[in-house]
Amino acid sequence: GILGLFDGNVVVAAEVPKGKPAPDVFLAAAKMIGVDPAKCRAYEDGESGIQSAHAAGMHVIDVREMTGYPMNPGLKKAMAVQRRQRKWLKG
């Protein structure tokens, strides 16, 4: 499976004090691999994950914006509204 691609470097919400949108998961992952979070890039497909990685100080890629990501028009519209409401990103 896909787990083999990560050389055992996997962190799940149950292993940290707070799950997403808190930054704990991403901070623990950066610590696990010995990399400053500011030098990490996170690929996320959910709003809480995007918020979490951003709060950890990482460069975040919203994979839903990538060409070819499967998405119906209703979801695209909802995401546009969600992006406009990202108060956490503005402050």
Side-chain angles (χ1 to χ4, degrees):
I2 193 170
L3 218 57
L5 299 173
F6 297 96
D7 295 326
N9 295 312
V10 177
V11 179
V12 297
E15 299 173 335
V16 295
K18 294 182 181 176
K20 299 173 185 177
D24 301 29
V25 170
F26 287 99
L27 292 172
K31 184 177 181 179
M32 180 181 280
I33 62 173
V35 177
D36 179 349
K39 296 184 186 239
C40 292
R41 182 170 294 147
Y43 292 84
E44 263 294 337
D45 67 349
E47 194 67 18
S48 65
I50 292 167
Q51 186 175 354
S52 177
H54 179 267
M58 297 182 175
H59 178 239
V60 187
I61 305 293
D62 184 345
V63 300
R64 301 170 300 178
E65 300 288 340
M66 297 174 85
T67 303
Y69 188 86
M71 189 178 318
N72 69 42
L75 183 55
K76 271 189 175 182
K77 187 175 178 180
M79 279 179 48
V81 170
Q82 207 171 39
R83 274 192 301 277
R84 288 192 299 272
Q85 296 174 344
R86 284 182 178 163
K87 291 183 175 103
W88 54 268
L89 189 56
K90 296 172 186 167

